[in-house]
Structure formats: structure tokens, C-alpha cells
């Protein structure tokens, strides 16, 4: 709670009460005054939307009648001469009419009349005009003569509004329906008409179409034709004269909503008219029903306003207290630091004293910032690269105190990678940055910062032009200047030039990519990201066959094949200038060696821990360095295989000699080998596994596969003969085993490696 006599707090409270209550009261009065209008507008808009939906539904159905009329007039099976030609053609015509009627649920019946005749065709039968009126449709207000005359003289489509029609539904049953008749001369809109179509639509069908849309509507609805005649109605209010409603609708042909007083009742009438067919869709509802809802909403708005005002008072007291408390605490803090009571000194004066103290501290901080200028500059440039500062005005405003500003319109990033060689001076990034920023940029505005790479410097530049040749020329001069002044060789990766400062981060990523391409393009170069040809570095063929061959050669411990394949892989890397291809092949070569050695359980062949890892491969700067690493790995594997062969014991030599003698015999078995050497089969198997890491059976299979590969390469002997020579009986079983080991069938292997 505020202290006694704290006038400042009560001033806060009174000020915020007035600030809050006056606008809230005015706003509440406006809301309360206008709530009726807003609710009425909402109700009117809802009515208009419902009527527009009804209009779209009915217009779509009326379009169906027009489309069917055009289709019938162009249907050769319904041409007069076809219908007259035979009973079969007449039946075919009825079938066509039935198809048209089944295509829509809107039409109750379709009747086709050929002028000059006394026959009307329907989908189910044929009638004379008089018989149709007597047995099928008995119009109470339309005589047979009038119907006959209309059918023969109609020149434009005509609609007869809803009228009562007696329809015979059984032999003796007659029902009365409200029926709407659509008459269309055919061909449609032609100077010469040979017939007339009569479409029958029940009022109930039209009502069913619209009642889903108007089901929630509390008032009445009616559809009028362009002459104001009733077509159909829904939930008609008996207290209202339909003629009055029709007159209102006809006087508002473009559609409207108004509150009108008719026959002592105040009604909200809404009208929407179809531009296509001229029908008017009308709804009306007594305003008494509407105002009941309006009054309920007015009461809710009044209660809400009172709640807001009460809550506003509470919040005002709370926030006044919150705003005053820091001032009170600041005053108490000042009294504590000074060691004496402030007495009757105003809290604002205490605040002024505190602000003065803060200003003094800020001055001290500025002096400290001057002493940390280099670190602040580096941090500012880092934020620009990261995209945290993307507006030139913002950058210049922040960098002004550090003397870091840009005035040129184009921005770019370059990375300078310095190469350490003999007789060169040691790399000192701060010294190089200082030299770079002391006026050597020429027409560039630029600033340098240390890179995460210990041998690199990042340049943020602004230039007057984004011309590539101009940029290359300036960087060539910079490169020569560095070599002359610093005795250093440098590779420069340059990102693209952008108009927006927000894209400096993108240019930085492009310069990183460009500097990485020294791996395939070489050192001491100028590499522009914009000149890296994507097609030139596109991977076209990946040497999967060579990697599979390397795996097979390691499994066979074939030193000659390993060396040959490794040379071909290095050559393949050198042929492709693609950074992606070079890196990927490097990883796959190492990965293939490790996987094969582990699969064979021959980890003694090579120290896997000493193989280059991903980080080591990424640090390789050129393909030549990669060649040296791959050659070193190849030599290590071959030397290990030779040492393994030299260290085999006499017993092992005896076993191997006998195996090589018996290996291609069909009767070969471990028991026969053990008996010939004079040891037990179990000891032979265990000893052989300890010495070689594989079973005798696996070793024999490997030698047989080697012999098979040799015969496939060096001879034209059939595969069946080769299988017999190496001691197998089942050709298909051997082919499966050969493919599981090499990844290729014998035939595919011969095509790939045939000398």
C-alpha cells in the first residue's frame, strides 16, 4: 500500500481513473447506442446471404432446363422425321426423353410436341392434346384449346407460374398439385420452330430445394417471376397480403432490405433478384421477433460495460500502485545510499538524482566501450552476417560511434584463406585486419573480422557497382597487394553482390562454398561463387563398380587387384572437378575398406583407428592431398597382407599346400585333409580359423571363386565347364553363391572384367 501523505500516488490514481473511465464511458455509450443498428445489419446481411444461396440453387436448376432444351433440339433421334418414321423410332424417342428426365431430379415430366400434329410425346407414353388434359394433367385455369394454341405459336421461352393441376396417379385416384410449367420452342431462339417442349415442375420440388437453406429462418419466403406472379412459397404468414409483398419486390428490382409497415404490421423485408432469369426471392419477418433478440443483446452489452468499468477501477488502482512502487523504492534506495532521510523532498526530485547518477554511470560505460572498440566492432559485424541487423540505417546508427558505416548501395562478403609456406611470416589475424582496413580497398568500403578458421579473414564490403569484372579486377589487385606487402599467398572466395543488406548472410554462405572449392580448383586462386558452373560440377557417373571391386579384392587379399582398383579410384576423383564427387568418393573409399575388413573379421589387416575420419577428409585442401591419403591406405593394406602371408607357420603351409592340391576335387572334405596331414578334423578346423579368421569351407569357396574369376577373365570356357573344373556339381547353386560374394553373376563379371 502507498505511504501516508503520498500525494504522487493519488495523483497517479486520479489521472488513470480519468484516462480510463472517460474513454470507456464514451465507448460504452457508443456501443450501447449502435448495438441495435449492428444487430439489424447482421440480420439483414444474413437474410441477403440466404436469399443469394437460394438464387444460386434455383438458377442452377433453371439452367438445367435450358441445357436439356438445347440437347433435345440437337438430338437426331428426337427430330420430327425420325419420330414419324416408325414405331421403333417413336419408342427410341421416348427412351431418349426418359434419359434426359433421369439426369435431373428437378423436373417432374418432359413433354415434346411436334407442331401441326395432335401428338405429345412423353418419356412413358404418347398422348393427344385433349387426352393429355383429360387423363394426365387437368389444368384448372388452362383449356385444351389454349394449350394447343400455345404449343403451336410459342416463339420464346415462357413460364406459367404456379397453378393448381389435377394429376391422375392411379386408375381412379386424382391428386391436386401446385405445378409450374416451362414452355420452350425448339430449336431454341430460332426463327423457325418445329416443336415445343413442356417441362412440368412441382411446387413441392422447388420448395424442397430451398427449405434446407431457409430452415433456420423464422419468417416467410416467396419466389416471384419477373411479372410479380407467385412461383412458390415457404412458411407463408397469413397476416400478410402477398400482393403487397409482390409490389414491394417489384419496386426494388435490384434487391434490397427494408423495414416496412404493411396492414398494421412492421416487417423486415429482404429481396434478391436473379439477373439471369428475373425471378425475385423475398423473405419477410415481423420486427417484433427481431427486437426480442436485440434487447437481449443490449442488456448483455450493458452488463458487460458495467463489469468492464468495475474491473477498470481495480486495474487502475493496481497499476497505479505498481507504477508508484518503483519510485518509492528508488527514493528509499537513495536514502539508504546517502545515509540520511529525504524528509519532505518530492519523489520526482529523488528520481532526478537517480537519473543523474545513471547518466554518470553511462558516461563511464562509454569510456569502457571506447577501450573495447575492437571487440564491439567484431560483434557488430558478426550480427550483420548472422542476419540480426538487416537495415542499412540501423547498421549505420549503431556503427556510427565505432566509425563503421556503409554508403555504397551493393553489399558482399569475401573470405581470405592464407596459406602457410616456408619463409613466410607467421599468420597474425589482428595485424592483417589492420593492414586490410587501412585504405587498401580502393573503391570498396570494407571491414574485416576474424574467421572461425585460424588461417582466414572475413571481409564485409560495400561497392558502387555489382559488375563482376570490376569486382574481379579489384580483388586481383588486393591479392597482389597481399603477396607483395605481407609475403603471403592467399585463396579468396567471393560471394555474390546484393542490393539488400539483409542478404549479407547469404553472400557469406556463398563465399564459404566458394572457398571450399579450392579442394578441386587448387590454392592461390580467386574463386567467385557466381562463376561456379553447376553443370561442370554435376555428378554424371558414380563408380559403384570400382567400390564393389575393391571390396571383392580385399576379401580375396589380392594385392595386385587392390593396387589397380585404388589407382583407378584416385584417377576417377581427379577426372571429376566436382567438390561433391571428390568428398563423397573419399568417404566411400574409407567406408568400403572399414566395412570389408570388419565383415571378414580381419581387423589385423589395418588399424581402423588410424584411418582418416570425416573431419580429416574435410581438412584436405586439394585432390593431390587426397591422392596421398588414399595411396597411403592402399600401401598399408598391401603391406599387412604381405606380413600375414610371411608369418604363416609350417603347419599352415602344409595345410594350404594340400588344400590347393585338393581344392578342385569333387571329393574334397575337411576330414580327408585332416587325415592326410595327420591331425583331427576338429583341431584342423579350430587351428585354421585362428590363423586365418575364416573356416576351411569359406577359404575353399574363396579360392574356387578366385579361380572362377581368373577363368572368366582369361578364357572363353563355358560357365558349366568352369563349375565342373572347380569341383561343383550344381551350376545354379554356384551362380547364387558367386553373386552373393561379388555382387555380380558370372556372366556379368566376365563382361565387366574380360581381358
Amino acid at each position: 500500500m502507498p505511504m501516508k501523505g503520498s500525494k504522487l500516488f493519488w495523483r497517479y490514481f486520479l489521472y488513470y481513473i480519468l484516462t480510463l473511465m472517460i474513454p470507456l464511458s464514451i465507448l460504452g455509450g457508443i456501443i450501447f447506442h449502435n448495438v441495435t443498428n449492428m444487430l439489424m445489419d447482421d440480420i439483414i446481411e444474413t437474410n441477403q446471404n440466404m436469399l443469394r444461396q437460394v438464387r444460386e440453387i434455383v438458377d442452377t436448376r433453371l439452367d438445367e432446363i435450358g441445357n436439356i432444351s438445347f440437347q433435345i433440339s440437337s438430338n437426331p433421334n428426337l427430330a420430327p422425321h425420325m419420330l414419324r418414321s416408325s414405331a421403333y423410332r417413336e419408342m427410341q424417342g421416348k427412351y431418349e426423353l426418359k434419359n434426359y428426365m433421369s439426369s435431373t431430379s428437378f423436373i417432374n415430366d418432359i413433354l415434346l410436341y411436334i407442331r401441326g400434329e395432335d401428338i405429345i410425346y412423353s418419356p412413358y407414353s404418347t398422348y393427344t392434346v385433349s387426352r393429355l388434359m383429360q387423363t394426365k394433367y387437368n389444368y384448372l385455369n388452362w383449356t385444351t384449346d389454349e394449350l394447343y394454341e400455345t404449343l403451336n405459336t410459342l416463339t420464346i421461352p415462357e413460364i406459367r407460374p404456379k397453378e393448381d393441376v389435377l394429376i391422375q396417379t392411379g386408375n381412379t385416384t386424382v391428386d391436386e398439385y401446385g405445378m409450374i410449367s416451362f414452355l420452350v420452342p425448339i430449336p431454341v431462339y430460332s426463327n423457325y420452330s418445329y416443336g415445343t417442349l413442356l417441362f412440368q415442375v412441382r411446387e413441392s420440388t422447388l420448395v424442397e430445394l430451398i427449405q434446407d437453406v431457409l430452415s433456420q429462418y423464422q419468417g416467410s419466403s416467396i419466389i416471384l417471376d419477373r411479372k410479380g406472379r407467385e412461383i412458390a412459397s415457404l412458411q407463408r404468414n397469413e397476416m400478410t397480403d402477398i400482393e403487397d409483398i409482390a409490389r414491394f419486390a417489384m419496386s426494388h428490382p435490384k434487391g434490397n432490405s427494408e423495414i416496412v409497415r404493411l396492414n398494421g404490421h412492421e416487417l423486415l423485408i429482404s429481396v434478391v433478384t436473379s439477373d439471369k432469369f428475373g425471378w425475385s426471392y423475398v423473405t419477410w419477418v415481423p420486427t417484433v421477433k427481431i427486437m426480442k433478440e436485440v434487447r437481449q443483446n443490449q442488456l448483455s452489452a450493458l452488463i458487460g460495460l458495467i463489469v468492464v468499468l468495475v474491473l477498470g477501477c481495480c486495474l487502475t488502482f493496481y497499476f497505479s500502485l505498481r507504477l508508484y512502487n518503483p519510485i518509492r523504492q528508488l527514493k528509499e534506495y537513495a536514502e539508504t545510499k546517502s545515509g540520511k532521510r529525504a524528509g519532505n523532498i518530492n519523489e520526482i526530485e529523488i528520481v532526478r538524482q537517480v537519473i543523474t547518477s545513471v547518466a554518470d554511470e553511462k558516461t563511464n560505460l562509454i569510456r569502457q566501450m571506447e577501450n573495447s572498440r575492437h571487440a564491439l566492432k567484431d560483434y557488430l559485424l558478426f550480427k550483420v552476417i548472422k542476419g540480426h541487423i538487416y537495415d542499412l540505417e540501423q547498421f549505420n546508427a549503431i556503427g556510427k560511434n565505432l566509425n563503421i558505416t556503409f554508403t555504397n548501395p551493393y553489399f558482399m562478403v569475401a573470405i581470405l584463406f592464407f596459406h602457410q609456406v616456408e619463409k613466410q611470416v607467421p599468420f597474425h589475424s589482428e595485424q592483417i585486419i589492420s593492414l586490410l582496413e587501412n585504405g587498401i580497398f580502393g573503391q570498396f568500403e570494407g571491414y574485416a573480422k576474424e574467421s572461425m578458421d585460424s588461417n582466414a579473414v572475413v571481409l564485409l564490403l560495400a561497392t558502387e557497382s555489382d559488375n563482376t569484372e570490376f569486382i574481379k579486377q579489384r580483388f586481383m589487385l588486393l591479392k597482389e597487394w597481399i603477396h607483395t606487402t605481407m609475403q603471403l599467398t592467399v585463396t579468396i572466395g567471393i560471394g555474390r553482390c546484393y542490393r539488400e543488406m539483409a542478404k549479407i548472410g547469404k553472400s557469406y554462405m556463398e563465399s564459404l562454398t566458394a572457398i571450399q572449392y579450392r579442394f578441386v580448383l587448387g590454392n592461390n586462386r580467386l574463386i567467385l561463387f557466381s562463376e561456379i558452373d553447376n553443370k561442370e560440377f554435376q555428378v554424371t557417373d558414380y563408380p559403384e563398380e570400382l567400390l564393389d571391386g575393391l571390396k571383392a579384392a580385399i576379401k580375396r587379399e589380392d594385392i595386385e587387384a587392390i593396387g589397380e582398383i585404388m589407382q583407378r579410384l584416385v584417377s576417377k576423383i581427379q577426372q571429376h572437378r566436382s567438390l561433391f564427387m571428390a568428398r563423397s568418393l573419399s568417404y566411400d573409399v574409407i567406408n568400403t575398406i572399414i566395412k570389408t575388413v570388419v565383415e571378414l573379421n580381419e581387423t589385423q589387416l589395418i588399424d581402423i583407428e588410424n584411418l582418416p575420419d570425416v573431419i580429416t577428409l574435410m581438412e584436405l585442401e586439394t585432390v593431390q592431398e587426397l591422392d596421398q591419403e588414399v595411396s597411403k591406405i592402399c600401401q598399408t593394406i598391401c603391406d599387412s597382407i604381405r606380413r600375414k602371408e610371411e608369418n604363416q607357420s609350417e603347419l599352415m603351409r602344409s595345410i594350404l599346400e594340400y588344400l590347393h592340391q585338393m581344392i578342385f576335387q569333387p571329393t574334397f572334405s575337411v576330414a580327408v585333409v585332416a587325415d592326410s596331414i595327420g591331425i583331427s578334423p576338429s583341431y584342423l578346423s579350430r587351428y585354421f580359423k585362428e590363423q586365418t579368421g575364416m573356416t576351411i569351407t569359406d577359404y575353399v569357396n574363396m579360392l574356387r571363386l578366385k579361380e572362377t574369376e581368373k577363368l572368366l577373365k582369361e578364357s572363353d570356357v563355358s560357365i558349366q565347364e568352369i563349375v565342373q573344373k572347380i569341383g561343383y556339381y550344381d551350376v545354379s547353386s554356384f551362380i547364387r553363391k558367386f553373386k552373393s560374394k561379388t555382387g555380380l553373376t558370372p556372366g556379368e563379371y566376365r563382361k565387366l572384367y574380360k581381358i
Side-chain angles (χ1 to χ4, degrees), residues 268-454:
L268 172 62
I269 305 177
S270 299
V271 181
V272 169
T273 303
S274 170
D275 294 332
K276 185 180 293 185
F277 297 103
W279 287 16
S280 297
Y281 304 88
V282 189
T283 61
W284 67 95
V285 62
T287 56
V288 176
K289 292 184 178 180
I290 302 173
M291 293 308 296
K292 181 179 180 181
E293 180 181 353
V294 171
R295 292 189 185 94
Q296 290 176 349
N297 283 277
Q298 286 177 331
L299 180 60
S300 299
L302 180 60
I303 294 173
L305 179 60
I306 294 172
V307 170
V308 169
L309 290 174
V310 173
L311 182 61
C313 291
C314 297
L315 290 175
T316 299
F317 184 84
Y318 171 74
F319 284 114
S320 298
L321 188 60
R322 288 287 300 273
L323 288 171
Y324 173 74
N325 277 338
I327 298 175
R328 178 178 59 81
Q329 293 170 1
L330 188 59
K331 177 183 177 182
E332 293 174 353
Y333 176 77
E335 291 175 343
T336 302
K337 288 298 182 182
S338 62
K340 57 182 180 179
R341 302 289 295 177
N344 294 325
I345 297 177
N346 189 282
E347 291 93 336
I348 300 299
E349 179 62 24
I350 298 296
V351 171
R352 187 190 65 78
Q353 295 175 6
V354 171
I355 292 175
T356 301
S357 176
V358 170
D360 293 339
E361 291 180 2
K362 181 180 178 181
T363 302
N364 294 331
L365 286 174
I366 291 174
R367 294 195 188 98
Q368 295 176 11
M369 287 175 61
E370 289 294 331
N371 297 331
S372 304
R373 185 183 188 82
H374 177 76
L376 291 172
K377 186 204 78 169
D378 202 59
Y379 177 69
L380 177 60
L381 298 180
F382 174 76
K383 290 185 71 175
V384 173
I385 290 175
K386 293 285 285 184
H388 296 161
I389 298 177
Y390 49 84
D391 181 73
L392 180 59
E393 292 184 4
Q394 181 187 10
F395 173 81
N396 288 339
I398 297 174
K400 185 177 181 181
N401 294 328
L402 300 173
N403 293 325
I404 301 177
T405 56
F406 283 130
T407 59
N408 288 332
Y410 295 97
F411 306 94
M412 60 185 297
V413 176
I415 295 178
L416 278 58
F417 187 88
F418 296 90
H419 307 285
Q420 299 289 339
V421 296
E422 293 182 3
K423 299 181 181 180
Q424 289 185 339
V425 297
F427 183 82
H428 298 294
S429 60
E430 293 184 4
Q431 178 185 0
I432 291 175
I433 289 173
S434 176
L435 289 172
L436 287 172
E437 291 186 344
N438 283 333
I440 55 83
F441 288 110
Q443 296 186 40
F444 287 150
E445 294 176 340
Y447 305 98
K449 70 177 297 294
E450 295 180 358
S451 172
M452 295 179 64
D453 194 317
S454 59

Side-chain angles (χ1 to χ4, degrees), residues 111 113 120 129-130 132-134 137-154 158-166 179-184 196-201 229:
L111 301 174
Y113 173 73
I120 293 182
V129 177
S130 59
L132 176 72
M133 294 290 282
Q134 293 173 2
Y137 299 111
N138 186 0
Y139 286 84
L140 300 182
N141 298 315
W142 201 10
T143 67
T144 302
D145 292 339
E146 290 173 341
L147 172 61
Y148 186 80
E149 181 181 357
T150 301
L151 294 175
N152 280 282
T153 60
L154 188 69
E158 180 181 321
I159 301 174
R160 288 182 63 87
K162 182 191 73 173
E163 56 187 319
D164 294 332
V165 179
L166 298 178
M179 190 72 72
I180 306 165
S181 302
F182 296 83
L183 294 100
V184 182
T196 304
L197 288 171
L198 176 59
F199 296 91
Q200 302 283 15
V201 177
R229 296 176 296 181

Side-chain angles (χ1 to χ4, degrees), residues 80-146:
H81 67 278
M82 292 296 290
L83 294 172
R84 298 184 189 119
S85 62
S86 65
Y88 172 76
R89 294 298 184 183
E90 182 179 302
M91 184 180 301
Q92 183 69 21
K94 296 176 185 177
Y95 178 75
E96 294 289 341
L97 290 175
K98 185 183 295 184
N99 287 339
Y100 287 122
M101 196 173 77
S102 63
S103 66
T104 175
S105 60
F106 180 63
I107 300 171
N108 185 62
D109 200 357
I110 301 176
L111 301 174
L112 171 61
Y113 173 73
I114 305 300
R115 296 187 178 185
E117 299 182 359
D118 193 28
I119 297 177
I120 293 182
Y121 299 92
S122 80
Y124 305 101
S125 182
T126 57
Y127 304 90
T128 64
V129 177
S130 59
R131 181 169 172 267
L132 176 72
M133 294 290 282
Q134 293 173 2
T135 62
K136 184 65 175 176
Y137 299 111
N138 186 0
Y139 286 84
L140 300 182
N141 298 315
W142 201 10
T143 67
T144 302
D145 292 339
E146 290 173 341

Side-chain angles (χ1 to χ4, degrees), residues 666-678:
T667 58
F668 171 83
S669 68
V670 176
V672 172
V673 177
D675 188 55
S676 300
I677 298 175

Side-chain angles (χ1 to χ4, degrees), residues 490-744:
V490 61
T491 298
I492 304 179
I494 306 170
R496 287 184 291 192
C497 215
Y498 292 100
R499 186 86 180 182
E500 302 87 357
M501 191 175 192
K503 293 187 177 180
I504 283 183
K506 183 177 181 181
S507 183
Y508 173 69
M509 296 305 297
E510 291 171 351
S511 64
L512 281 176
T513 303
I515 205 71
Q516 287 294 322
Y517 269 98
R518 71 184 189 278
F519 183 80
V520 292
L521 299 178
N523 289 325
N524 197 24
R525 292 176 59 94
L526 198 66
I527 306 174
L528 278 74
F529 181 84
S530 59
E531 294 184 350
I532 296 176
D533 188 353
N534 292 329
K535 294 182 179 179
E536 180 182 356
F537 299 110
Q538 198 171 27
V539 178
T540 56
D541 57 333
Y542 203 77
E544 295 183 4
E545 297 83 0
L546 290 177
L547 293 173
D548 291 338
L550 175 62
K551 184 176 181 179
I554 294 174
K555 288 184 177 180
R556 299 193 309 271
E557 298 184 3
D558 189 340
I559 297 175
E560 181 180 350
I562 292 173
E564 177 188 349
I565 294 171
M566 292 292 271
Q567 289 179 2
R568 292 173 66 186
L569 282 170
V570 172
S571 176
K572 181 68 74 172
I573 294 172
Q574 291 174 334
Q575 289 173 8
H576 286 276
R577 300 183 67 202
S578 167
L579 178 63
F580 169 76
M581 170 67 92
R583 296 291 188 194
S584 299
L585 270 177
S586 305
Y587 304 151
D588 281 352
V589 168
I590 304 302
N591 188 42
T592 299
I593 294 171
I594 294 174
K595 285 174 61 179
T596 307
V597 170
V598 172
E599 286 176 8
L600 295 174
N601 196 22
E602 291 284 354
T603 53
Q604 71 276 9
L605 287 179
I606 188 169
D607 186 0
I608 296 176
E609 295 296 329
N610 290 329
L611 288 177
D613 55 17
V614 173
I615 303 301
T616 303
L617 292 174
M618 285 293 292
E619 291 175 351
L620 297 178
E621 293 191 12
T622 63
V623 176
Q624 289 71 28
E625 294 182 14
L626 175 64
D627 182 12
Q628 295 173 6
E629 286 293 332
V630 173
S631 299
K632 190 187 302 181
I633 296 167
C634 173
Q635 188 62 45
T636 301
I637 294 175
C638 295
D639 291 346
S640 298
I641 293 174
R642 291 191 187 97
R643 286 196 301 270
K644 177 182 174 183
E645 293 175 349
E646 292 171 358
N647 293 334
Q648 288 181 330
S649 64
E650 286 297 326
L651 175 60
M652 194 63 190
R653 289 196 181 92
S654 299
I655 295 172
L656 293 176
E657 288 176 3
Y658 193 85
L659 286 176
H660 282 270
Q661 293 174 7
M662 296 289 295
I663 192 171
F664 302 122
Q665 300 297 323
T667 58
F668 171 83
S669 68
V670 176
V672 172
V673 177
D675 188 55
S676 300
I677 298 175
I679 58 178
S680 67
S682 60
Y683 178 80
L684 173 62
S685 299
R686 185 170 63 255
Y687 177 80
F688 192 91
K689 181 68 180 287
E690 290 173 354
Q691 294 297 315
T692 65
M694 63 177 69
T695 65
I696 293 177
T697 302
D698 290 339
Y699 184 80
V700 169
N701 288 336
M702 183 186 71
L703 294 180
R704 287 176 172 177
L705 286 174
K706 281 185 178 181
E707 182 64 16
T708 302
E709 292 173 353
K710 181 180 179 182
L711 292 173
L712 289 171
K713 288 180 180 179
E714 301 175 357
S715 71
D716 295 322
V717 179
S718 68
I719 294 174
Q720 185 172 3
E721 292 176 344
I722 291 174
V723 172
Q724 292 175 354
K725 281 185 178 183
I726 63 173
Y728 274 87
Y729 289 103
D730 189 352
V731 177
S732 60
S733 174
F734 172 76
I735 291 174
R736 286 195 300 271
K737 185 173 294 186
F738 185 92
K739 186 173 182 179
S740 68
K741 294 296 184 181
T742 66
L744 302 169

